Amino acid sequence: MVRSLADPELLLRAWEQASSAPVAARSAVFVHLAGLSPDLDSALDLDVGACATLAAHAHAVAFGREVTGVVACQSCGELMDAQVSLPPAEDLTVAPAAREQDAVVGDFTVRPLTTRHLIAATADPDKARTALLSCCVRRSDGTPFDPSCLTAEEETLLDVAAERLTGQALLMLHMQCPQCDRPVPAALDPGAVLWDQIDMAALRLMEDVAVLARAFGWSEADVLALPTSRRNAYLERAES
């Protein structure tokens, strides 16, 4: 069953777990806690495109489909307000059996990138690209693969195949700069957007808990059990 990450207790749990997890793992944490994956291990093993799609699903359920942000023009630096509507939650589903599992590129086989691969790559940023290639690329005949031996053309072909397998890991925006009139493409990471929402909402909720605890001596559990309307009513009285 899909759970809303806006639920007070689940919101704080999601904030706590995501705060202590590697940045690359946050989407998987949210997907698991939202009930879109049976366990965290399964979420970490999803390819990043599937994980991003499910993170967008979790966002739509908990915070709605509208996402706003600020985009900078790469040409003149102009800042623009950006808004995008996520697809309906029912359209943001993943059928693992229907997803393409690998791609053959010349003498190589490319596997989809997973969150586990990203976490392994960030362990040593200087060797991240080599680590990702080692995780996701194999020679089709099973012989050992040395990423340093790839030609520039082979690297380009492998990059294209990897991007295709990744799917909708990022939502693309296409805007026009009002200052210089140049096109401004921008990428939206559903997991990062969901983290921003959870971070803001959780910190605001914790502030509410602190205010009501000081005013009435209530525990965190007492405050979280209150419906939002009653909590707001008590906050008005506590702060008056």
Side-chain angles (χ1 to χ4, degrees), residues 129-131 133-134 145-151 155:
R129 181 172 177 78
T130 298
L133 286 170
S134 298
F145 166 67
D146 182 358
S148 65
C149 294
L150 288 173
T151 66
E155 282 203 40

Side-chain angles (χ1 to χ4, degrees), residues 58-78:
H59 187 291
V61 169
F63 302 106
R65 295 171 52 198
E66 300 304 314
V67 175
T68 59
V70 177
V71 174
C73 175
Q74 298 171 348
S75 299
C76 69
E78 177 76 6

Side-chain angles (χ1 to χ4, degrees), residues 31 33 41 60 104 109 128 156 167 176-177 189 213 222 224 229:
V31 166
L33 292 178
D41 281 341
V104 176
T109 298
T156 299
Q176 199 78 17
C177 179
D189 179 354
D222 292 333
L224 297 184
S229 57

Side-chain angles (χ1 to χ4, degrees), residues 46 48 51-52 88 181 223 239:
L46 287 169
V48 294
C51 197
D181 202 38
V223 176
E239 295 171 345

Side-chain angles (χ1 to χ4, degrees), residues 14-220:
W15 179 85
E16 182 177 16
Q17 291 193 17
S19 296
S20 60
V23 172
R26 284 175 178 168
S27 289
V29 169
F30 299 146
V31 166
H32 163 52
L33 292 178
L36 296 168
S37 175
D39 50 54
L40 182 56
D41 281 341
S42 298
L44 291 170
D45 287 331
L46 287 169
D47 70 74
V48 294
C51 197
T53 298
L54 293 177
H57 185 165
H59 187 291
V61 169
F63 302 106
R65 295 171 52 198
E66 300 304 314
V67 175
T68 59
V70 177
V71 174
C73 175
Q74 298 171 348
S75 299
C76 69
E78 177 76 6
L79 296 179
M80 298 167 286
D81 291 329
Q83 182 167 340
V84 62
S85 293
L86 297 172
E90 57 269 20
D91 292 344
L92 293 166
T93 57
V94 175
R99 294 182 66 89
E100 190 171 6
Q101 294 302 305
D102 52 46
V104 176
V105 179
D107 295 330
F108 302 96
T109 298
V110 184
R111 299 185 300 173
L113 183 68
T114 71
T115 299
R116 288 191 192 277
H117 296 153
L118 289 178
I119 294 172
T122 56
D124 187 347
D126 292 336
K127 298 180 180 178
R129 181 172 177 78
T130 298
L132 289 176
L133 286 170
S134 298
C135 288
C136 299
V137 179
R138 296 285 186 274
R139 288 195 179 275
S140 300
D141 62 5
T143 57
F145 166 67
D146 182 358
S148 65
C149 294
L150 288 173
T151 66
E153 182 181 5
E154 286 173 334
E155 282 203 40
T156 299
L157 292 174
L158 292 174
D159 284 343
V160 170
E163 289 178 7
R164 178 167 57 81
L165 289 174
T166 296
Q168 296 298 316
L170 299 175
L171 300 174
M172 297 304 299
L173 304 178
H174 299 280
M175 307 174 65
Q176 199 78 17
C177 179
Q179 183 68 26
C180 67
D181 202 38
R182 294 187 178 180
V184 182
L188 179 71
D189 179 354
V193 170
L194 182 53
W195 163 248
D196 288 342
Q197 289 278 18
I198 287 174
D199 189 38
M200 289 188 294
L203 293 176
R204 187 165 55 244
L205 179 57
M206 284 187 280
E207 180 61 27
D208 291 350
V209 170
V211 170
L212 294 178
R214 286 194 299 267
F216 304 111
W218 293 340
S219 68
E220 180 184 78

